[in-house]
């Protein structure tokens, strides 16, 4: 868990829940800055830039805050690009790294002037034929086989749909040579939650082998995958060690290239996971023959990570922090099995108590839905100690907004 000073206090969360209602997502702006500064400090020895992977959390106020602290933006859809521009990002600070989108979407991004990562040969060729001499691009590589051995990680492995295989280098070169495409960046994103520093180091090794094929490079983008702790004792990417080792390896290599190279990263979770708190209310305490369930006023329609990824979120009772610890299974209120956590030790829960899920900033609200025709939660941003409503709770009108009632 983060340092105490980094964490919003339980009684403050209760006050916010009382003022804005539950379920509610609460974000702590300054925590995002703390995380950004940790990255900057860890990588200060190399010329490094960070782009916030905003699919983790796209509320416009979060985007504006991220822009205000000097961080760039990584986007995966044209809508995220448009949101980024609306939030005030300079297009030069926005990377567009889509997967399996059509050429029209890539051209729309080009017209907006953002940095484009192309991740398949078909689009590379079509884009090259149209804009070869005029619009430099980056290429997303899939590094699956490493020098000296193989390894598999979630998006960099041989069966992954992401990136252009490094074994297709000859084909990439063919396209570049015949279309005069200028490749200014190489990109790889091997997956989320990598705690092993060596995985990043092996990734950088492969990338550095690839650069000889590209004479116009300005940056190497290693994506993300920095892991954060979701509970006490959870392994976490050792960011200082990673920064030191990777900067060293990168600098040694970069010296051999024809021009200075920048090292880029696209952290999502690392920047916003711990800034977020999801507060719900205990509706029902239900004793069965096998279990004591706490049924809360939420479900996987609001926070799907526990069910979708088997993710662990620490749950605390903020209304009764001194109560006797009991064992509970925390479930949601939708008609589907939606268990947030089995056999959790939580201070005694009474009906009406507020519970908090920690580390709810990344892929929380962003993956929410209206399943069961339930309303999406409100979002609150705490900035300089004050809570601000940044998204009102859905209403019934929101559910009907785009529906067309036939007469
Ligand atoms: C999702 C994603 C990220 C961010 O991953 P995290 O695990 O949230 O840090 C970065 N780059 C790309 C291309 C992504 O798709």
């Amino acid at each position: 868990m983060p340092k105490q000073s980094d964490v919003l206090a339980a009684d403050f969360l209760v006050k916010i829940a009382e003022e804005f209602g539950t379920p509610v997502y609460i974000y702590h702006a300054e925590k995002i800055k703390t995380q950004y500064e940790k990255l900057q400090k860890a990588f200060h020895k190399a010329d490094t830039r960070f782009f916030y992977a905003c699919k983790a959390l796209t509320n416009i106020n979060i985007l504006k805050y991220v822009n205000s602290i000097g961080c760039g933006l990584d986007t995966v859809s044209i809508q995220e690009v448009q949101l980024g521009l609306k939030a005030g990002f300079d297009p030069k600070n926005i990377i567009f790294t889509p997967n399996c989108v059509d050429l029209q979407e890539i051209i729309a991004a080009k017209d907006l002037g953002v940095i484009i990562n192309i991740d398949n040969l078909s689009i590379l060729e079509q884009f090259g034929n149209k804009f070869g001499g005029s619009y430099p691009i980056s290429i997303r590589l899939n590094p699956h086989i490493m020098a000296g051995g193989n390894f598999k990680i979630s998006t960099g492995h041989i069966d992954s749909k992401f990136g252009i295989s490094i074994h297709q280098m000859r084909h990439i070169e063919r396209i570049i040579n015949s279309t005069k495409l200028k490749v200014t960046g190489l990109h790889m994103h091997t997956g989320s939650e990598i705690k092993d520093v060596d995985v990043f180091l092996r990734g950088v090794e492969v990338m550095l082998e690839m650069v000889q094929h590209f004479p116009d490079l300005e940056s190497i983008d290693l994506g993300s995958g920095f892991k954060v702790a979701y509970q006490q004792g959870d392994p976490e990417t050792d960011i200082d060690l990673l920064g030191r080792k990777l900067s060293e390896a990168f600098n040694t290599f970069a010296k051999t290239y024809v021009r200075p190279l920048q090292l880029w990263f696209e952290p999502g979770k690392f920047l916003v996971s711990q800034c977020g708190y999801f507060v719900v209310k205990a509706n029902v305490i239900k004793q069965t023959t096998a279990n004591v369930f706490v049924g809360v006023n939420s479900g996987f329609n609001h926070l799907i990570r526990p069910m979708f990824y088997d993710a662990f979120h620490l749950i605390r009772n903020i209304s009764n922090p001194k109560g006797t610890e009991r064992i509970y299974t925390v479930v949601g209120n939708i008609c589907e099995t939606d268990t947030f956590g089995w056999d959790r030790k939580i201070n005694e829960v009474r009906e009406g108590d507020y519970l908090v899920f920690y580390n709810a900033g990344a892929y929380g609200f962003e993956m929410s839905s209206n399943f069961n025709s339930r309303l999406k939660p409100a979002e609150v941003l705490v900035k300089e100690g004050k809570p601000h409503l940044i998204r009102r709770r859905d209403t019934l009108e929101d559910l009907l907004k785009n529906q067309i009632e036939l007469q």
Side-chain angles (χ1 to χ4, degrees):
M1 285 303 293
K3 283 197 311 282
Q4 216 42 45
S5 59
D6 265 0
V7 183
L8 295 183
D11 52 353
F12 187 47
L13 296 175
V14 169
K15 260 177 61 189
I16 294 173
E18 278 167 355
E19 182 175 349
F20 299 97
T22 60
V24 59
Y25 275 97
I26 301 165
Y27 311 118
H28 183 194
E30 285 79 12
K31 176 63 182 165
I32 301 175
K33 187 157 172 241
T34 307
Q35 292 297 95
Y36 180 58
E37 286 169 353
K38 265 190 215 169
L39 288 173
Q40 283 186 311
K41 180 168 155 280
F43 286 90
H44 76 279
K45 287 234 164 87
D47 184 5
T48 312
R49 285 181 73 190
F50 299 95
F51 299 81
Y52 166 51
C54 71
K55 73 173 187 284
L57 177 59
T58 55
N59 187 291
I60 187 104
N61 299 282
I62 299 291
L63 301 184
K64 281 183 179 174
Y65 185 77
V66 168
N67 188 33
S68 79
I69 60 177
C71 185
L73 196 72
D74 181 59
T75 60
V76 293
S77 69
I78 194 69
Q79 290 77 15
E80 283 186 357
V81 172
Q82 289 161 341
L83 284 176
L85 292 171
K86 211 171 161 65
F89 283 91
D90 185 322
K92 288 197 269 321
N93 292 334
I94 300 180
I95 308 179
F96 182 45
T97 311
N99 175 253
C100 291
V101 300
D102 64 13
L103 185 65
Q104 266 53 53
E105 190 165 331
I106 304 268
I107 293 174
K110 171 204 150 280
D111 291 342
L112 295 172
V114 302
I115 303 160
I116 297 173
N117 264 314
I118 294 184
D119 103 320
N120 65 84
L121 291 172
S122 166
I123 295 284
L124 190 69
E125 186 179 319
Q126 295 176 69
F127 190 89
N129 281 337
K130 277 190 187 300
F131 311 108
S134 62
Y135 202 87
I137 50 111
S138 288
I139 290 182
R140 178 172 186 171
L141 291 172
N142 185 330
H144 35 244
I145 306 271
M146 312 299 289
N150 301 339
F151 78 100
K152 287 191 173 193
I153 25 181
S154 41
T155 64
H157 60 79
I158 193 99
D159 288 325
S160 167
K161 66 165 186 166
F162 294 100
I164 304 176
S165 165
I166 51 171
H167 302 307
Q168 290 174 305
M169 195 52 73
R170 276 298 295 137
H171 199 162
I172 296 175
E173 284 183 312
R174 279 222 154 78
I175 292 171
I176 290 170
N177 290 338
S178 45
T179 62
K180 303 286 175 285
L181 257 181
K182 195 169 156 191
V183 180
T184 52
L186 289 183
H187 173 280
M188 73 175 223
H189 170 65
T190 47
S192 217
E193 304 223 325
I194 302 162
K195 59 178 194 302
D196 188 353
V197 170
D198 285 341
V199 171
F200 285 98
L201 284 173
R202 282 198 269 161
V204 88
E205 259 171 44
V206 166
M207 288 297 255
L208 300 182
E209 264 175 45
M210 294 300 124
V211 300
Q212 54 176 312
H213 299 275
F214 303 93
D216 301 312
L217 291 181
E218 291 161 15
S219 66
I220 302 284
D221 183 338
L222 294 184
S224 176
F226 304 138
K227 185 171 164 50
V228 293
Y230 276 76
Q231 58 184 313
Q232 216 124 34
D234 226 5
E236 193 165 14
T237 307
D238 183 342
I239 211 72
D240 285 324
L241 181 72
L242 179 70
R244 206 165 58 240
K245 286 199 166 180
L246 216 51
S247 305
E248 211 172 87
F250 186 79
N251 286 342
T252 309
F253 154 79
K255 278 198 213 110
T256 67
Y257 193 67
V258 288
R259 82 175 60 76
L261 282 173
Q262 262 186 350
L263 180 58
W264 289 5
F265 290 101
E266 304 159 350
K269 195 173 280 178
F270 190 84
L271 289 176
V272 299
S273 173
Q274 292 165 333
C275 89
Y277 304 77
F278 183 47
V279 178
V280 300
K281 183 168 68 72
N283 278 343
V284 188
I285 312 295
K286 180 172 181 173
Q287 182 115 30
T288 65
T289 41
N291 229 319
V292 183
F293 288 104
V294 180
V296 303
N297 64 347
S298 182
F300 75 52
N301 48 331
H302 296 156
L303 178 64
I304 202 173
R305 298 188 72 257
M307 305 81 182
F308 199 46
Y309 303 118
D310 281 328
F312 180 96
H313 284 266
L314 182 67
I315 306 170
R316 290 249 165 92
N317 183 353
I318 48 178
S319 297
N320 189 20
K322 300 222 161 75
T324 311
E325 285 186 328
R326 312 284 298 265
I327 310 290
Y328 296 101
T329 292
V330 181
V331 296
N333 64 350
I334 57 170
C335 289
E336 185 52 84
T337 301
D338 57 349
T339 308
F340 286 114
W342 289 101
D343 303 329
R344 296 297 184 84
K345 209 189 282 177
I346 302 172
N347 300 105
E348 179 161 13
V349 185
R350 304 150 307 181
E351 293 180 353
D353 279 357
Y354 293 122
L355 305 188
V356 61
F357 294 82
Y358 288 95
N359 278 39
Y363 311 106
F365 182 89
E366 214 54 36
M367 294 177 88
S368 66
S369 74
N370 289 111
F371 188 47
N372 278 205
S373 295
R374 292 215 173 265
L375 309 177
K376 285 197 190 182
E379 291 178 291
V380 168
L381 180 64
V382 175
K383 213 170 144 185
E384 290 159 11
K386 281 203 213 67
H388 307 271
L389 186 66
I390 57 170
R391 182 193 299 268
R392 60 167 179 73
R393 188 177 309 289
D394 271 357
T395 61
L396 191 66
E397 286 70 55
D398 292 316
L399 297 184
L400 288 163
K401 183 170 66 190
N402 293 325
Q403 298 188 34
I404 298 166
E405 222 175 330
L406 298 179
Q407 298 309 316

